Amino acid sequence: MRLLWRVYICFLLCIVLALAVMGWYVDRSLQQFHQERIADELLIRARVFANELAPVLSEWKEADIDKRCKEVGRLTQSRATVILPDGKVIGDSNESPSRMENHSDRPEVAQALAGQPGRSVRFSDTIRRNLMYLAVPVKRGDVVVAVVRCSVPLSVIDEALSKVYQHIAYGGIAMAALSALLAFYLSRRISRPLEMLQRVTMRLAEGDLDARVTLTEGGETGSFARALNQMAALLKERVDTLARRSNEQKAVLSSMAEGVLAIDTNERIIDLNQSAALLLDLVPGQARGRSIQEAVRNLDLQTFIKTTLLTTDPNEADIVVHGNIERSLQLHGTALTDAVGVKLGILVVLNDVTRLKRLETIRREFVANVSHELKTPITTLKGCVDTMSDNAALSKEDADRFLGMMRRHVERLDASVEGLLTLSRIEHDTEHATLPTEVGLICDVLREAVQAFARAAEEKNMVVELQCPGDLAVPLNAKLLDHAVGNLIDNAIKYSGSGTRVIVSAAVAGDWVEIRVADHGPGIEKKHLERIFERFYRVDSARSRGLGGTGLGLAIAKHATMAHRGSISVESTSDKGSVFKIRIPILIPGR
């Protein structure tokens, strides 16, 4: 129920109650007033009749007295009765005295016989109505010789008051209607600002902190409205401040490359940023509130969190997470406390050191590979030199054999050094953007690369097929691109079986030119695909060296492609062959 109707009903009930009490009081007052007035009239009538009877009472007969009573009753429109001291009725205006019982026990008669006027209101058994009786003594000297009693029905009062009640009822109805309108007006005046306050309060509770009360009234309601508006403004300011700080914190956390993971004392995830979710393969919205054992199935991480929760000192550890991608993570954990220093849990910072670990591994392997690649020919050369020095009388055949070995290993050393120098030049030109390029036809570069290895293909009874549009032109360094494609063709011929075919093709793919070298060799296992472009990395070391490879061809192809702002990739299936793809932009950015 609306506040208006609750207030209005209360006002209306109060008005109705006040009118009812007032009506009851007026009714009682009027009843009492008319009873007193009738009593006074009856007293006067009774005394007049008594004064009339006093001198003649002893002379008149009872019949005369009864007759006089009936005359008095008719003239005064009331009942007149004469009673002897013994209670005998000797005259009555309404009934025959002989049929009336003794009246000595009537209260008003007994009081009159005692010498004082008596009055009472009771039901009359004679005429079957409520009457008001007033009796006065008839004295002869100080002796009461009789009692004169006058009475009238109380219905006379009702008849007299009926019109008064009618006017009072009309006035009461008019007053009630006017009071109801006034109560409605007052209720509306009281409830309207309260309802407005209620609506604004509900809007504030629902989060609408821009809600305000527009009241121009004074008094308590106006003061309350101003206080509510001030509270809303202060609350909005504080909420905006908290929201701004929260957004700043979220922005900082979301922009961090490091993962941040907040854990409570029950090992449940309080919050985490996007980086932590990515590193742990989690969805932030689903991870919050879950235990770390349920969210991340990694025993090392769970053990680290348990250990950090049990101590107040910072804790560090390195773990490996096996998810969609295997990652090496460096963990740093510290206590998470509130403003008063109460421990809420721990904060774990996760650094992805996978690339650093991989680079460290590559560095170690590179040093080992370089050492191996150089040590083998150097050791061989040293052995040959020592052998030839210690055996001056070598036969011509042995000398030629040793010289041939020395020549091959020198050429191998020269190829390795030349490959490293080539890589160094390419990296220098790429870093300083000094690589000279000019618009040239891709088909010409590919044709030269194919022709360079035509003899090697014929020796293995292989066909190198070129598929390239003649008008496909892009900015390029012909010598460097020829070197890159030549390394791919060389590998395709070396590793493909006799009688197979190598297809070299070029085509436009969007804003790129895609060069493809497809062979039908043994293919490359998936575990090697990410690393075959590293320096000195070999899928099959023994076979690579047996075929004369230095382990730098694919690395040179990769850096040559990067110098053209492009990319190189490989698709391979075991026993079905490999497809190497070089993508270079049709327009080099910045030119």
Side-chain angles (χ1 to χ4, degrees):
M1 183 183 294
R2 290 183 56 189
L3 180 62
L4 168 65
W5 300 116
R6 292 201 296 268
V7 175
Y8 177 65
I9 290 174
C10 290
F11 271 128
L12 198 60
L13 289 176
C14 291
I15 292 171
V16 171
L17 181 62
L19 289 176
V21 172
M22 185 178 66
W24 174 81
Y25 177 76
V26 169
D27 177 64
R28 291 293 302 274
S29 298
L30 290 176
Q31 289 279 355
Q32 186 175 1
F33 171 75
H34 279 276
Q35 285 184 7
E36 293 296 332
R37 193 186 69 175
I38 290 174
D40 291 341
E41 291 179 355
L42 290 177
L43 180 60
I44 293 172
R45 294 174 188 174
R47 283 179 174 173
V48 171
F49 192 22
N51 291 335
E52 182 184 351
L53 284 179
V56 298
L57 184 61
S58 58
E59 299 175 0
W60 286 7
K61 297 180 180 178
E62 292 183 4
D64 296 331
I65 294 174
D66 181 61
K67 181 179 179 182
R68 183 57 182 164
C69 286
K70 288 179 170 52
E71 291 175 355
V72 171
R74 184 173 61 255
L75 293 174
T76 60
Q77 297 295 319
S78 60
R79 183 181 181 185
T81 306
V82 178
I83 306 164
L84 294 178
D86 60 357
K88 180 181 178 182
V89 179
I90 59 174
D92 187 83
S93 60
N94 292 352
E95 292 292 336
S96 174
S98 60
R99 293 199 299 268
M100 298 178 65
E101 59 185 10
N102 191 284
H103 279 43
S104 60
D105 59 346
R106 303 300 193 266
E108 69 281 0
V109 175
Q111 193 172 0
L113 290 174
Q116 299 294 330
R119 188 177 76 177
S120 68
V121 177
R122 68 177 185 277
F123 184 77
S124 173
D125 294 331
T126 304
I127 62 175
R128 313 300 298 175
R129 298 171 71 183
N130 285 323
L131 299 175
M132 175 181 284
Y133 297 95
L134 198 141
V136 297
V138 179
K139 296 183 179 179
R140 187 178 293 159
D142 294 331
V143 179
V144 177
V145 295
V147 173
V148 173
R149 186 184 70 179
C150 293
S151 62
V152 293
L154 291 180
S155 59
V156 175
I157 299 176
D158 296 334
E159 292 173 0
L161 294 177
S162 60
K163 290 186 178 181
V164 177
Y165 287 153
Q166 186 176 4
H167 290 300
I168 291 175
Y170 291 152
I173 293 173
M175 185 180 295
L178 182 61
S179 300
L181 293 176
L182 180 62
F184 183 81
Y185 171 75
L186 293 175
S187 301
R188 183 63 176 169
R189 187 175 179 82
I190 293 173
S191 64
R192 186 175 182 180
L194 293 178
E195 288 178 347
M196 185 180 296
L197 289 171
Q198 182 186 28
R199 288 195 297 270
V200 172
T201 304
M202 291 181 65
R203 288 175 60 189
L204 291 174
E206 293 171 355
D208 183 7
L209 299 181
D210 293 322
R212 295 292 184 273
V213 182
T214 55
L215 286 179
T216 58
E217 300 179 2
E220 292 81 359
T221 305
S223 299
F224 182 73
R226 288 190 293 274
L228 184 63
N229 287 339
Q230 292 175 0
M231 182 192 71
L234 183 60
L235 183 62
K236 176 176 172 55
E237 181 180 354
R238 292 185 177 179
V239 169
D240 289 343
T241 301
L242 292 175
R244 185 172 60 255
R245 291 179 180 176
S246 177
N247 291 334
E248 290 172 354
Q249 292 176 355
K250 289 181 179 179
V252 170
L253 289 176
S254 62
S255 61
M256 289 178 62
E258 297 82 1
V260 178
L261 186 65
I263 307 294
D264 64 14
T265 54
N266 295 321
E267 301 183 23
R268 292 189 176 275
I269 299 175
I270 300 175
D271 200 1
L272 72 165
N273 66 352
Q274 190 62 39
S275 297
L278 180 63
L279 294 175
L280 299 176
D281 292 329
L282 298 175
V283 178
Q286 298 176 359
R288 293 184 181 95
R290 298 171 63 188
S291 65
I292 193 66
Q293 292 82 2
E294 181 184 1
V296 183
R297 303 298 177 86
N298 187 285
L299 183 59
D300 293 335
L301 178 62
Q302 297 170 11
T303 303
F304 174 81
I305 289 174
K306 286 181 181 291
T307 304
T308 308
L309 282 172
L310 294 176
T311 182
T312 57
D313 298 328
N315 190 18
E316 293 185 356
D318 292 326
I319 67 170
V320 176
V321 176
H322 303 277
N324 296 330
I325 300 175
E326 183 178 296
R327 291 186 174 92
S328 297
L329 302 181
Q330 185 180 64
L331 307 181
H332 179 82
T334 185
L336 182 65
T337 59
D338 60 10
V340 295
V342 178
K343 187 172 182 179
L344 303 177
I346 60 172
L347 189 70
V348 181
V349 178
L350 303 92
N351 289 294
D352 187 0
V353 294
T354 305
R355 184 171 178 273
L356 294 177
K357 294 285 187 181
R358 184 179 294 117
L359 291 176
E360 181 64 22
T361 301
I362 292 173
R363 184 189 67 81
R364 289 196 304 267
E365 292 181 353
F366 174 74
V367 172
N369 289 333
V370 170
S371 301
H372 184 74
E373 292 292 332
L374 297 179
K375 185 176 181 181
T376 299
I378 289 174
T379 301
T380 302
L381 287 173
K382 183 179 179 181
C384 291
V385 170
D386 291 341
T387 301
M388 294 180 71
S389 299
D390 295 338
N391 297 279
L394 285 174
S395 65
K396 186 176 183 304
E397 293 180 356
D398 290 338
D400 291 341
R401 182 167 58 84
F402 281 114
L403 288 174
M405 292 175 59
M406 293 173 68
R407 185 181 298 107
R408 288 195 302 272
H409 285 287
V410 168
E411 290 175 352
R412 182 176 173 185
L413 280 174
D414 182 64
S416 297
V417 171
E418 182 63 28
L420 290 174
L421 290 175
T422 301
L423 282 173
S424 179
R425 286 195 299 271
I426 294 173
E427 288 177 343
H428 178 271
D429 292 342
T430 303
E431 181 179 354
H432 296 84
T434 59
L435 180 71
T437 60
E438 61 181 6
V439 177
L441 295 174
I442 289 287
C443 193
D444 291 345
V445 176
L446 299 184
R447 187 179 294 109
E448 289 183 7
V450 170
Q451 289 174 354
F453 293 94
R455 183 174 179 181
E458 290 177 0
E459 291 177 355
K460 294 187 66 174
N461 193 26
M462 295 177 62
V463 175
V464 180
E465 181 179 340
L466 177 63
Q467 300 175 357
C468 177
D471 58 348
L472 187 56
V474 295
L476 52 82
N477 184 294
K479 181 178 180 181
L480 190 58
L481 186 60
D482 176 75
H483 197 168
V485 176
N487 284 334
L488 298 181
I489 296 174
D490 184 28
N491 287 340
I493 293 173
K494 287 179 179 179
Y495 292 99
S496 295
S498 177
T500 59
R501 183 172 59 173
V502 176
I503 300 176
V504 180
S505 63
V508 177
D511 295 333
W512 303 82
V513 170
E514 185 174 273
I515 301 171
R516 298 164 63 98
V517 178
D519 62 50
H520 294 81
I524 305 171
E525 294 182 21
K526 185 176 181 181
K527 64 180 180 179
H528 299 294
L529 293 180
E530 293 184 359
R531 302 195 58 189
I532 60 174
F533 296 103
E534 297 175 6
R535 294 174 175 87
F536 296 111
Y537 186 84
R538 300 175 185 272
V539 176
D540 186 345
S541 300
R543 187 179 181 191
S544 297
R545 292 191 183 93
L547 294 173
T550 63
L552 295 174
L554 292 180
I556 293 173
K558 173 185 175 181
H559 286 273
T561 304
M562 292 173 61
H564 285 82
R565 305 292 179 89
S567 63
I568 187 170
S569 61
V570 60
E571 295 178 357
S572 183
T573 305
S574 296
D575 300 326
K576 291 185 178 180
S578 304
V579 179
F580 286 84
K581 300 177 183 179
I582 293 178
R583 289 166 60 90
I584 58 176
I586 295 177
L587 293 176
I588 296 181
R591 298 196 179 186

